[in-house]
Amino acid sequence: MSTNTFTKEQIKQRRIFRLAQLVYDHWEEKSGMDTRYFDHPFIHNEHVENGRSLSGGSYREHAVPRAYLRDQCLSLFDAGASVDDVARVLEAHLRIVYISPEEAELLNRSYKTNMPEGWKIGEGDPLERFHLAGIKVVE
């Protein structure tokens, strides 16, 4: 039995890396991938909770939609990215923001499964779709 203890940050990094490896495995197998891997319990909420709208709210919304994030990670592997490269992208972009149901409805009108035109993974602000929808987020 292991006596190792890990910090919360180390656990987050280990889980993100395992997720990147899992995405790679699905990419390599050409088997598609369920976006639920981007959620609890595989990645516990505490590791990716990153903000709340000024109006409060208890609706969990991924900053970058899970399907979009999955597709971008698969595209990164198509372009020759490593598991470490994708882990860094996931660490920067896999975030949950709590918003109100009304804000979720507003956000989903334009950006349910996509990001704004011209937004690029690894470069763009993960909260860009919230900004464009007029949802103010406190990180």
Side-chain angles (χ1 to χ4, degrees):
M1 183 162 174
S2 175
T3 59
N4 291 335
T5 57
F6 298 99
T7 66
K8 184 177 176 179
E9 185 60 28
Q10 288 170 323
I11 292 169
K12 175 185 175 183
Q13 289 174 347
R14 290 166 59 93
R15 289 180 185 219
I16 292 285
F17 181 81
R18 280 196 297 268
L19 178 58
Q21 181 65 53
L22 181 64
V23 175
Y24 176 80
D25 292 346
H26 282 273
W27 171 82
E28 190 174 47
E29 296 163 2
K30 305 292 185 231
S31 62
M33 186 186 150
D34 193 310
T35 61
R36 288 178 287 188
Y37 286 114
F38 289 90
D39 215 346
H40 189 85
F42 198 83
I43 297 291
H44 290 269
N45 293 341
E46 68 186 79
H47 299 301
V48 294
E49 289 171 342
N50 195 244
R52 184 171 300 278
S53 73
L54 288 179
S55 65
S58 59
Y59 184 89
R60 292 175 59 253
E61 180 68 37
H62 282 82
V64 177
R66 292 180 302 179
Y68 184 90
L69 187 57
R70 176 206 53 212
D71 294 347
Q72 292 299 302
C73 289
L74 294 171
S75 291
L76 287 169
F77 286 127
D78 284 341
S82 69
V83 171
D84 285 326
D85 294 334
V86 170
R88 282 190 290 279
V89 166
L90 288 171
E91 188 165 2
H93 293 86
L94 184 57
R95 300 179 183 182
I96 292 173
V97 176
Y98 290 94
I99 60 178
S100 70
E102 296 79 21
E103 288 170 323
E105 194 173 301
L106 176 67
L107 189 64
N108 288 339
R109 283 188 204 137
S110 299
Y111 303 111
K112 183 171 179 70
T113 60
N114 62 354
M115 291 299 283
E117 184 77 28
W119 188 87
K120 292 188 179 179
I121 194 99
E123 298 174 18
D125 179 357
L127 299 175
E128 184 66 22
R129 66 189 188 120
F130 293 83
H131 302 316
L132 292 175
I135 302 169
K136 300 208 184 304
V137 174
V138 178
E139 293 187 53

